[in-house]
Structures are given as C-alpha cells and as structure tokens.
Amino acid sequence: MSAQYAWSERFPARHPVTEGSDRLAVSPLGDLYSPATDAEVRELEERLGMELPPSYRQFLLFANGWGSDDDCCLLRVMEVGWLRDVDPPVAESWSAPKPENSWSVPDELYFMYGQEQDSIHYRGEYVPDTLLAGYWDDGVALLNPHVRTAEGEWEAWYLAPWLAGAKRYRSFWDLAMDELRLRYPR
C-alpha cells in the first residue's frame, strides 16, 4: 500500500466492535468495516467498467465502508455505484441546468481548489456520471471520473443542498482528509 495514502495512520485502532462482527471500531473516528477483498474491488471495477482511483481503491482494501449512520457514511463495495443508478433524484436535481447558472464553467474557474474555490463553479453535466461513495450530513461524497490526475486519481466532490454547488477536491484522499479535519481535529 502506498505511503501516500496511509489510511492506517489516520485510523490506527482496529478491533471488532463485537465478537464475530465484520465492523471494526475506531475511536474517536467512527466505525470501519473489515477490508474489502481484492476480488470484491475488482468485481466493483468490472461492474463500473473502469479502474477506481488509487486512493479510493486503497481505502476499500483498508476498510469496506466507514460510519454507521447518515451523519458520515462511506458506502460498502456492494452499495457503491454511479449516482444516476443509485440515487437518481439527487443526480437529476443537481444535473439539470438552471437559468441563472451556466454549466459551461471555464477551466480557469473550474480547476481551482482549496480556499480560492467557489462552489458555484462545478460542471453539472458531470453529476450523473459521478460515483456515489457516501453520504455526509445532508450531502453526498462523489468521485468524478471526468477529471483525472496523471496518477489516476479522480476529482472528488462534496455536494450538499446548502452549498451553491460542489466543494471539489483533487482526490478522494483530499476529500476524506478534509472531512477528518472537520469532524475530528487533532
């Protein structure tokens, strides 16, 4: 596993919640499920028709899901899928162009990350093709295969009704680390 995505450093304690359970407890970061097998991850990639981004793939091999409620829940391998298939109402509501917004966001506004980013500058046309990875608060964690790094990472989004658009990250790792910083400051 790449040191770049050192999930075990972020989630150090790993023991079953109850005897015989497949859920591992991690305190104070929440519940993790036992790792997905390589075969389960390959089956997901076959179902999707493409390879997963490295940080997300490594996360699934570390923990097949995170969280026990809708407050912060990363889905298990068998629950992950394209947003248009798994949660069509969310895909439709966020991908329909609105008169006041243009989905044709120029690259110089779109490819801005961090504090300089304005969440309104996302490309709604990408929404149906995103991979639903989880639900956080009243929003969704998505992976966007339309924007990839040279290393194979996909852009990651947090999309919520209270945002004017999507908070975008360069990778799943960046999204997860931001969520951890917000929920569990060190």
Side-chain angles (χ1 to χ4, degrees), residues 1-11 53-59 62 149 151-154 170-174 177:
M1 196 173 289
S2 169
Q4 181 180 2
Y5 308 118
W7 296 107
S8 61
E9 291 176 14
R10 296 302 310 205
F11 299 94
S55 64
Y56 184 59
R57 188 176 210 286
Q58 288 180 12
F59 174 80
F62 173 75
T149 67
E151 296 79 26
E153 288 296 336
W154 301 3
R170 288 184 177 90
S171 68
F172 174 74
W173 173 263
D174 292 346
M177 293 304 106

Side-chain angles (χ1 to χ4, degrees), residues 113-127:
Y113 299 94
Q115 293 185 349
E116 301 82 36
Q117 180 187 137
D118 185 341
S119 66
I120 194 71
H121 299 301
Y122 80 106
R123 294 179 174 163
E125 65 270 22
Y126 292 166
V127 172

Side-chain angles (χ1 to χ4, degrees), residues 137-148:
D137 298 322
D138 57 352
V140 290
L142 305 169
L143 301 177
N144 176 16
H146 289 284
V147 178
R148 298 181 193 200

Side-chain angles (χ1 to χ4, degrees), residues 42-61:
R42 281 194 315 271
E43 185 178 302
L44 172 60
E45 290 174 328
E46 288 173 19
R47 182 167 46 92
L48 299 173
M50 60 181 58
E51 288 183 20
L52 293 169
S55 64
Y56 184 59
R57 188 176 210 286
Q58 288 180 12
F59 174 80
L60 292 173
L61 293 170

Side-chain angles (χ1 to χ4, degrees), residues 9-172:
E9 291 176 14
R10 296 302 310 205
F11 299 94
R14 298 180 52 86
H15 57 277
V17 173
T18 60
E19 192 67 34
S21 171
D22 71 341
R23 182 173 288 171
L24 300 173
V26 176
S27 182
L29 300 175
D31 296 337
L32 292 174
Y33 285 92
S34 296
T37 65
D38 195 52
E40 288 171 321
V41 174
R42 281 194 315 271
E43 185 178 302
L44 172 60
E45 290 174 328
E46 288 173 19
R47 182 167 46 92
L48 299 173
M50 60 181 58
E51 288 183 20
L52 293 169
S55 64
Y56 184 59
R57 188 176 210 286
Q58 288 180 12
F59 174 80
L60 292 173
L61 293 170
F62 173 75
N64 187 7
W66 170 25
S68 55
D69 57 29
D70 289 340
D71 189 42
C72 182
C73 173
L74 288 176
L75 301 174
R76 300 179 76 184
V77 168
M78 67 281 239
E79 301 166 317
V80 171
W82 299 118
L83 184 62
R84 66 179 173 261
D85 300 329
V86 178
D87 201 336
V90 171
E92 291 167 17
S93 69
W94 284 95
S95 62
K98 296 171 180 63
E100 68 275 10
N101 297 336
S102 168
W103 295 140
S104 300
V105 176
D107 284 355
E108 60 271 9
L109 294 175
Y110 186 84
F111 292 105
M112 193 170 293
Y113 299 94
Q115 293 185 349
E116 301 82 36
Q117 180 187 137
D118 185 341
S119 66
I120 194 71
H121 299 301
Y122 80 106
R123 294 179 174 163
E125 65 270 22
Y126 292 166
V127 172
D129 298 333
T130 57
L131 189 68
L132 177 61
Y135 294 96
W136 289 345
D137 298 322
D138 57 352
V140 290
L142 305 169
L143 301 177
N144 176 16
H146 289 284
V147 178
R148 298 181 193 200
T149 67
E151 296 79 26
E153 288 296 336
W154 301 3
E155 184 179 60
W157 294 6
Y158 176 66
L159 194 62
W162 55 269
L163 284 171
K167 187 168 183 184
R168 296 175 297 98
Y169 301 86
R170 288 184 177 90
S171 68
F172 174 74

